[in-house]
Amino acid sequence: LHTHDQAEIFKNKVEFAINHFNKAISIYPEVYNYHSDLARAYIVIENYPEAKNSLIQANRLEPRDLFSLEEIIKISFELKEYVDAIKYGELYIQEDERNPLLHELLAYSYYFNNQSSRAVQTAKNGLVYFPANENLLDLIKNLENI
């Protein structure tokens, strides 16, 4: 099989899975795993808006689940939807402060949302846990020199 054919087969399998997850959700809409697995399938084919919608539904069912929270934040940041990245980032940090990427995404989301003082404070909070984090250090250095 050629690479193109393999990619087409893979895409068809993912779309087949998406259809079945949607069917399962139509029958049992309150099952967290159906929504999170649907989101994973959308992520694989880089359909981030649909992945985000599925993750938000998963998060509605399991508000403290770190997988759905982290993925919503990463996708929101990628889509430049910083208000959502902040909203879900704050929820994540309340559950677990030991994820360096979350501190970075939250700090930069504040920055890109024109909330520089919150960005600096968030970066400093992250440095409590990760004192050598270059991205947080750079953000603070750059913002304090403005």
Side-chain angles (χ1 to χ4, degrees):
L1 285 172
H2 291 73
T3 305
H4 175 72
D5 294 337
Q6 290 173 325
E8 191 64 28
I9 289 168
F10 178 76
K11 185 174 186 255
N12 288 340
K13 285 182 178 181
V14 173
E15 300 214 349
F16 180 80
I18 288 170
N19 288 334
H20 282 279
F21 288 131
N22 279 318
K23 183 177 272 188
I25 289 167
S26 73
I27 299 167
Y28 299 106
E30 300 301 310
V31 177
Y32 165 85
N33 284 352
Y34 295 167
H35 294 282
S36 67
D37 290 343
L38 178 59
R40 284 185 180 103
Y42 280 127
I43 289 168
V44 166
I45 61 170
E46 299 179 357
N47 184 339
Y48 298 121
E50 287 299 327
K52 183 178 172 184
N53 289 337
S54 297
L55 288 162
I56 288 170
Q57 289 307 309
N59 179 258
R60 180 182 58 79
L61 296 168
E62 297 282 340
R64 301 179 73 184
D65 176 66
L66 296 180
F67 167 76
S68 60
L69 285 171
E70 182 171 355
E71 293 302 312
I72 292 169
I73 298 154
K74 292 191 294 193
I75 290 171
S76 296
F77 191 84
E78 181 73 26
L79 296 174
K80 297 179 171 49
E81 295 173 354
Y82 301 117
V83 171
D84 281 349
I86 290 166
K87 173 184 173 185
Y88 290 97
E90 290 290 349
L91 292 171
Y92 187 105
I93 294 293
Q94 288 173 14
E95 295 297 322
D96 183 3
E97 296 189 73
R98 296 163 302 190
N99 184 329
L101 177 62
L102 261 290
H103 288 281
E104 292 176 30
L105 291 175
L106 187 54
Y108 276 94
S109 293
Y110 278 123
Y111 170 72
F112 290 130
N113 202 44
N114 298 314
Q115 294 175 272
S116 295
S117 62
R118 290 294 305 266
V120 169
Q121 188 56 53
T122 301
K124 287 180 178 177
N125 291 347
L127 288 172
V128 169
Y129 298 95
F130 309 101
N133 185 297
E134 293 292 328
N135 290 331
L136 295 175
L137 290 166
D138 286 346
L139 179 64
I140 291 170
K141 184 174 72 179
N142 290 334
L143 288 176
E144 288 182 339
N145 290 333
I146 292 177

